[in-house]
Amino acid sequence: MNHLLLRVFLNLYADIFTDDPKNNVSEYIYEKLDKNLHLQTNHPLGILKTVIEEYFSMHFKHKPFTFYDDLTPIVSTQANFDSVLVPPDHVSRSSNDTYYVDDSTVLRCHTSAHQLELLKSGARRFLVTGDVYRRDSIDATHFPVFHQMEGVCVFEPQDWEARQLSSLELANSELKITLEGLVRHLFGEIEMRWVDAYFPFTEPSYELEIFFNGEWLEVLGCGVMQKSILDEASLGSHRAWAFGLGLERLAMILFDIPDIRLFWTTDLRFSKQFKAGMFRAGGVGMQKFSSYSKFPPCYKDVSFWLAKDSTRFTENTLCELVRDVAGNLIEEVKLIDEFYNPKLDQTSNCFRFTYRSMERSLTDDEVNQLQEQVRSRLVDELDVTLR
Ligand code: DAH
């Protein structure tokens, strides 16, 4: 369906397709904008969101958190980047990494995009849950749309004075106590460790890791909010902590879900396995996801020379193109060979595409047709020469 028709039929986010040369939102992505998986109470993402909100309601009984879960994912570049101090030359600003609606509007790539506006509106303790969008590679753990939860908690001078701590000490220790409690609420008694990290919006910054199935896994990023963000919200005499976590990642671990695409399936064999209220910390005594048999994959390789004088080809753009053609039928795009031919002064890439449906067997014909479309669009749009 062309953009104009889609616009007429859905008219939901009608301004997503613009003539702006920076616009890189595909129909495939557009169709995800009204799904709101995190609002479905019997969906693993909705279940996990509720469990996390319950923890915050309990932990902050006397100073309640406010929960936001319906803020629009279409935000200004100011909100997505500048308001949280993302440097002007940071890679996340490139249209290779982020979906641009126009030069000054993007699909948010993190829920941190809402920190400043909410602080300005008077919110002091809040969680924001929402869908976030990133151009990315294709495999079992990466999908261009996923869900994040952001938390912010602001302290006033009397909070640290009462405890004879510096503001930084208070924010830092409250942050760690709160998030260690959250991890125990989700995983039960589990080994965890704090690792120093860097985020432009916090100082100090950390990642919290858990020891799970024999390896250390990062579960969230966090830190003490940069003063200049608070200044901007006229909260210069205050202190705050903030964190962000990815819901898919946690749900895959906690419910044993092997492939990130399953969150988007409407197959009853998936959805009937999840019910609000089923969650148990660490999955102990909880029925985890039991995989149903997979349909067979179909592999297709394509080799091509990259153009010497064009920068159009990137792996993310290739993935985006394949997704635009094959939608949910593409499972993985993998670079399997790359070499440079000095005589020709040219580089060759070979990619293997894995096509697979979660719902049915694909026919040879259908896959061949998809692959043909990909091959011709590769030439037309990414300036490569097929080999
Ligand atoms: N926005 C970060 C991301 O998407 C996650 C994050 C890290 C959020 C640290 C925070 C924070 O609020 O303090 O990777």
Side-chain angles (χ1 to χ4, degrees), residues 84 109-113 115 132 134 146 148-152 175 198-207 218 220-225 241-246:
V84 281
C109 68
H110 55 179
T111 42
S112 307
Q115 285 189 5
V132 300
R134 293 185 194 175
F146 60 102
Q148 282 190 332
M149 241 169 151
E150 188 86 10
V152 170
L175 168 71
Y198 165 78
F199 301 104
F201 22 93
T202 44
E203 175 61 37
S205 305
Y206 313 98
E207 283 168 354
E218 178 219 321
L220 56 83
C222 65
V224 176
M225 190 180 285
W241 57 243
F243 75 89
L245 57 80

Side-chain angles (χ1 to χ4, degrees), residues 367-386:
V367 176
N368 286 337
Q369 276 183 30
L370 294 173
Q371 185 69 3
E372 265 322 300
Q373 279 184 56
V374 171
R375 289 170 65 91
S376 82
R377 284 186 57 179
L378 261 170
V379 174
D380 294 345
E381 297 170 30
L382 303 186
D383 294 339
V384 309
T385 311
L386 299 177

Side-chain angles (χ1 to χ4, degrees), residues 239-292:
R239 271 286 187 178
W241 57 243
F243 75 89
L245 57 80
L247 282 177
E248 274 81 352
R249 182 115 197 258
L250 292 178
M252 287 174 83
I253 301 172
L254 287 164
F255 292 105
D256 247 351
I257 297 172
D259 190 310
I260 195 166
R261 290 183 313 161
L262 282 164
F263 292 107
W264 298 89
T265 184
T266 51
D267 192 321
L268 282 175
R269 289 175 299 172
F270 180 80
S271 45
K272 73 174 188 215
Q273 297 196 36
F274 301 96
K275 268 270 167 289
M278 72 185 280
F279 184 79
R280 300 286 172 272
V284 179
M286 173 180 91
Q287 186 63 45
K288 295 211 176 186
F289 176 64
S290 102
S291 286
Y292 40 86

Side-chain angles (χ1 to χ4, degrees), residues 2 26 57 70 93 116 131 176 190 222 239 265 291 299:
N2 70 31
S26 62
S57 299
D70 61 355
R93 290 189 185 245
L116 183 61
D131 37 339
K176 290 189 169 178
I190 195 165
C222 65
R239 271 286 187 178
T265 184
S291 286
Y299 304 105

Side-chain angles (χ1 to χ4, degrees), residues 177-200:
I177 290 168
T178 305
L179 295 177
E180 287 172 10
L182 172 64
V183 165
R184 259 181 253 115
H185 186 71
L186 296 178
F187 290 92
E189 281 311 319
I190 195 165
E191 219 183 317
M192 52 184 125
R193 69 179 184 195
W194 290 98
V195 178
D196 288 334
Y198 165 78
F199 301 104

